Amino acid sequence: MPVDTSPRSTTWTFVDGEWIAGNPPLIGPTSHAMWLGSTVFDGARWFDGIAPDLDLHCQRVNRSAEALGLAATMQAGEIETLAWEGVQKFDGKTAIYIKPMYWAEHGSSTSVVAPDPGSTRFALCLFEASMGDPKAGSSLTVSPFRRPTVECMPTDAKAGCLYPNNARMLVEARKRGFDNALVRDMLGNVAETASSNIFMVRDGVVFTPAANRTFLAGITRMRVIGLLKEAGFEVVETTLALADFQTADEIFTSGNYSKVVPVTRLDDRDLQPGPVTAKARDLYFDWAHSNGDA
């Protein structure tokens, strides 16, 4: 039977100068993106009438395009203006995921494997997606899979080709009864989870893996670090081993999808959502509601 390609929530996409409802068929079997993976995207959030750091997400998708050999055909400010236009198409009640995207339609004239930047296409997709319940927390297990280095994969871009690796991390973790996976880099140091950046707390000091180009040092991660420092916390970006997390007082994640979420289990160790985690979440949402460009 044919697969139902309709989106799973209300969705609007801007492409080729018009807004289209649903899931428009944009990529064919000869499209470079379809068979050779030349896609990049970014993800911002709209909720409660605000879209925190939307400008930074729009800037980053252009950097990702250039890192993958595509052409950034839209100015970041144009993408931001279109995003606010798209938000008006929704009911204003449910949170929205804002996803600008670039991909190549053709390969280059010298090698079909390399994308032709002149064939770059752009779309901006918005769809309803709830923020999730942070009180539920998240359980982690150590993944057997690793994050690649920039010499192996385009880890300096938010590229679609990176995500099958993340997906297998999640699938493997969930088969073992966990929500997500704690992921190491090729040297065995902790990098992130399969879908978010990671923090830990010991004796009131906040630690997070140093950005070493094996993972995307997220916009929300950057915001949380800055807010905690402004609030008087010591935040250390450094090399962290599994043993550091196994003995941490608190662990929490940051990411665009759900912002700040406590980790309540790491393998066989249960943890309680702690005061620093709660403060980090409060700081983020207080900042967002004051600076979210409503």
Side-chain angles (χ1 to χ4, degrees):
M1 294 180 61
V3 174
D4 181 3
T5 61
S6 59
R8 296 180 176 177
S9 64
T10 301
T11 302
W12 284 90
T13 299
F14 180 89
V15 64
D16 296 335
E18 64 176 327
W19 286 100
I20 303 171
N23 185 30
L26 299 179
I27 297 177
T30 67
S31 298
H32 192 274
M34 176 73 173
W35 66 307
L36 292 170
S38 56
T39 66
V40 297
F41 71 99
D42 217 287
R45 276 298 214 167
W46 177 94
F47 57 91
D48 298 343
I50 57 175
D53 285 325
L54 175 58
D55 56 338
L56 300 184
H57 288 282
C58 295
Q59 293 165 24
R60 188 172 66 182
V61 74
N62 281 358
R63 294 196 302 272
S64 291
E66 292 165 358
L68 211 67
L70 305 174
T73 60
M74 297 283 288
Q75 295 294 319
E78 294 177 298
I79 301 171
E80 187 176 358
T81 297
L82 279 172
W84 282 111
E85 183 179 309
V87 165
Q88 304 310 310
K89 296 182 174 295
F90 294 81
D91 64 12
K93 299 176 182 177
T94 304
I96 299 169
Y97 193 83
I98 301 171
K99 182 175 62 172
M101 311 173 70
Y102 288 106
W103 69 97
E105 187 60 34
H106 302 296
S108 74
S109 59
T110 57
S111 171
V112 69
V113 174
D116 175 9
S119 72
T120 301
R121 298 185 68 191
F122 170 82
L124 174 63
C125 180
L126 285 74
F127 59 90
E128 290 184 342
S130 66
M131 297 291 287
D133 180 9
K135 295 179 181 178
S138 177
S139 60
L140 300 180
T141 185
V142 178
S143 179
F145 304 116
R146 301 289 181 96
R147 285 289 303 176
T149 65
V150 72
E151 293 84 5
C152 302
M153 290 290 285
T155 55
D156 53 347
K158 197 170 175 69
C161 60
L162 297 170
Y163 282 79
N165 191 40
N166 295 50
R168 66 178 184 161
M169 296 168 185
L170 286 167
V171 169
E172 193 275 338
R174 288 174 182 174
K175 283 181 179 179
R176 294 195 281 120
F178 295 86
D179 299 317
N180 210 322
L182 190 64
V183 183
R184 292 165 289 177
D185 62 22
M186 296 303 292
L187 295 177
N189 300 310
V190 172
E192 59 174 1
T193 79
S195 60
S196 55
N197 293 133
I198 190 81
F199 291 80
M200 54 162 276
V201 182
R202 181 184 295 119
D203 298 328
V205 178
V206 181
F207 297 86
T208 192
N212 61 3
R213 304 185 76 192
T214 67
F215 64 94
L216 200 65
I219 290 169
T220 305
R221 171 187 179 273
M222 174 199 71
R223 184 64 63 191
V224 168
I225 289 172
L227 291 169
L228 283 169
K229 287 182 176 180
E230 288 175 11
F233 288 89
E234 182 181 357
V235 182
V236 181
E237 298 179 72
T238 188
T239 300
L240 295 168
L242 285 177
D244 293 312
F245 284 85
Q246 290 163 342
T247 57
D249 299 328
E250 302 176 42
I251 303 174
F252 64 92
T253 63
S254 73
N256 180 59
Y257 214 87
S258 297
K259 302 307 180 184
V260 179
V261 176
V263 171
T264 55
R265 181 162 61 114
L266 174 57
D267 284 324
D268 58 356
R269 184 186 176 209
D270 291 329
L271 297 103
Q272 294 297 318
V276 179
T277 301
K279 185 64 175 178
R281 185 171 176 83
D282 288 346
L283 286 168
Y284 179 84
F285 280 98
D286 288 347
W287 170 85
H289 284 101
S290 299
N291 299 274
D293 296 325

